[in-house]
Amino acid sequence: MSLNRRKVLAASAGAAAALAAAGLPVLQTATPAISHGKLRAEPLIPHKNRGIILYAVRDRIGAAPDESGIPYGFERVLARLAEIGYKEIEFAGYNQHTSILGRQITAKEIRKILDDNGLVANGTHTQIRADTFTQQLDIAEELGMKHIGTGSDPTGSAYKADWDVAADLWNELGRQARKRGMKLYTHNHDAAYGFLLDTGPLDDLGRPTRSSGTRKLEYFFTKADARYVFFEMDIYWAYVARFKHKTYTDKWGQTRTDLFDPILTVAPRTDRFPLFHAKDGDRAPEQANGHVMVPLGEGDINFQQFFEEIGEQNYHHANWEQDTAPGGAANPGQSLNFAAISYQNMSDLVIYRH
């Protein structure tokens, strides 16, 4: 299933105009005619930076040995992902079915599987807590990671004070990670791009009930030290935020509209986003999230424009994910099939240079 070029090249509404208004470069995303050898096509996402988070194939990582012929466990699944073409792995836990080895696999054994297949661990979704952080750093170092992170937000609060506390913790843990040669990162879902309650009348607990229009994670950008705290944008959930978090009530009680733009969120601070989840979705305005997850390249999200506009292609790592990839007992091979489709479509993205 080749990438649908119409969908890839269709610009997200207003993004180009907004970039220009912000003084940021607006790049040509349509495929140009190549004449007289003046332009050359290069991969938009370099081969070495194409990854997958294992949550997308969690059913096969956690599967017990069976006779289906479908890979199971770390050794077989990682070998299959390398065969597909992936070069990087983002972890979502370090356990497999204990019947494979008669015990749980170790980080050292997982590292050997990575090395044997020419794979690199580029990150992880684990708990980021002060009391267990050293242990998590030890595991990450054993696996050769340059990034360590979590799949949840620093806080789910709508109030500045809680984000301030979170920033203090993350700045300290980020310093510890840097000393070990790693970047600490947080991963967003749509709620992180909802609006703070930071103005207007106070409730019974003395908390603001209205918003200045500042989004939660954008406030965190200003409080988290850029030397120590980094981000992994889940592109799908960022576009869900664009659909869901459009309005807020200002301090005078008036409803205001502010359309979230994922590209404009990244572009001015692109070096704070070393990792992305390249997760695709079909528009479905009748759904609560406005989108339904599909394999990369089969949805409506414009990855071509996104990765061109944010620049620094060699710096960014794209990890494919689809939360709904596992097919269950009815289709146990679905997640690995979707991984293959998504890798091919990720590979089809190109950029043209002089």
Side-chain angles (χ1 to χ4, degrees), residues 66-247:
D66 58 40
E67 302 300 324
S68 68
I70 302 168
Y72 58 84
F74 281 109
E75 183 174 15
R76 291 165 179 82
V77 172
L78 294 187
R80 174 59 184 143
L81 294 175
E83 182 180 59
I84 289 170
Y86 288 102
K87 288 296 185 183
E88 297 195 322
I89 300 295
E90 185 179 26
F91 284 83
Y94 308 115
N95 292 336
Q96 63 180 13
H97 204 282
T98 54
S99 65
I100 297 174
L101 296 175
R103 56 173 172 77
Q104 194 48 258
I105 195 169
T106 67
K108 184 175 182 179
E109 289 168 332
I110 296 174
R111 175 61 185 271
K112 184 177 187 304
I113 295 169
L114 290 169
D115 293 345
D116 288 348
N117 287 283
L119 296 168
V120 173
N122 71 8
T124 185
H125 282 192
T126 189
Q127 287 188 327
I128 301 299
R129 296 177 3 194
D131 59 337
T132 59
F133 194 58
T134 297
Q135 177 188 12
Q136 292 302 321
L137 285 171
D138 290 344
I139 296 170
E141 190 169 60
E142 178 76 62
L143 293 171
M145 292 178 193
K146 297 300 182 185
H147 311 89
I148 182 170
T150 179
S152 57
D153 299 317
T155 175
S157 173
Y159 306 106
K160 282 184 175 181
D162 295 318
W163 286 91
D164 291 342
V165 171
D168 289 343
L169 173 63
W170 278 68
N171 286 339
E172 173 54 33
L173 298 183
R175 289 186 189 94
Q176 295 177 29
R178 183 173 177 175
K179 290 177 181 177
R180 302 278 288 268
M182 286 175 252
K183 293 178 179 177
L184 174 64
Y185 68 93
T186 179
H187 173 91
N188 73 269
H189 291 88
D190 68 281
Y193 295 112
F195 297 98
L196 284 172
L197 296 177
D198 59 351
T199 191
L202 304 181
D203 65 13
D204 292 342
L205 297 176
R207 300 173 303 186
T209 58
R210 296 175 184 170
S211 182
S212 66
T214 301
R215 296 180 187 272
K216 301 171 190 174
L217 201 62
E218 291 176 344
Y219 177 72
F220 189 69
F221 291 156
T222 69
K223 295 297 181 178
D225 194 315
R227 296 171 296 175
Y228 307 128
V229 181
F230 298 85
F231 301 89
E232 176 183 62
M233 176 179 276
D234 186 307
I235 300 171
Y236 171 89
W237 288 113
Y239 280 94
V240 170
R242 182 180 177 89
F243 174 81
K244 288 176 65 174
H245 304 298
K246 298 177 182 177
T247 63

Side-chain angles (χ1 to χ4, degrees), residues 250-291:
D250 70 13
K251 64 181 179 180
W252 297 284
Q254 300 296 311
T255 299
R256 302 291 182 183
T257 298
D258 181 68
L259 191 62
F260 178 67
D261 195 308
I263 294 174
L264 283 175
T265 300
V266 175
R269 55 183 73 85
T270 193
D271 60 352
R272 297 197 75 179
F273 287 84
L275 302 172
F276 293 88
H277 274 191
K279 182 189 299 179
D280 206 349
D282 262 335
R283 290 191 186 93
E286 72 283 2
Q287 301 286 331
N289 289 327
H291 301 77

Side-chain angles (χ1 to χ4, degrees), residues 1-12 235-236 239 278-284 290-305 320-322 338 341-342 345-346 349:
M1 299 183 182
S2 62
L3 199 61
N4 184 317
R5 299 301 298 173
R6 179 185 63 78
K7 290 182 179 179
V8 167
L9 300 176
S12 60
I235 300 171
Y236 171 89
Y239 280 94
K279 182 189 299 179
D280 206 349
D282 262 335
R283 290 191 186 93
H291 301 77
V292 175
M293 294 179 194
V294 295
L296 193 151
E298 295 189 356
D300 296 305
I301 294 177
N302 190 338
F303 292 98
Q304 179 76 31
Q305 184 187 44
W320 172 69
E321 183 185 36
Q322 183 180 336
F338 283 1
I341 292 167
S342 298
N345 287 339
M346 189 187 294
L349 295 170

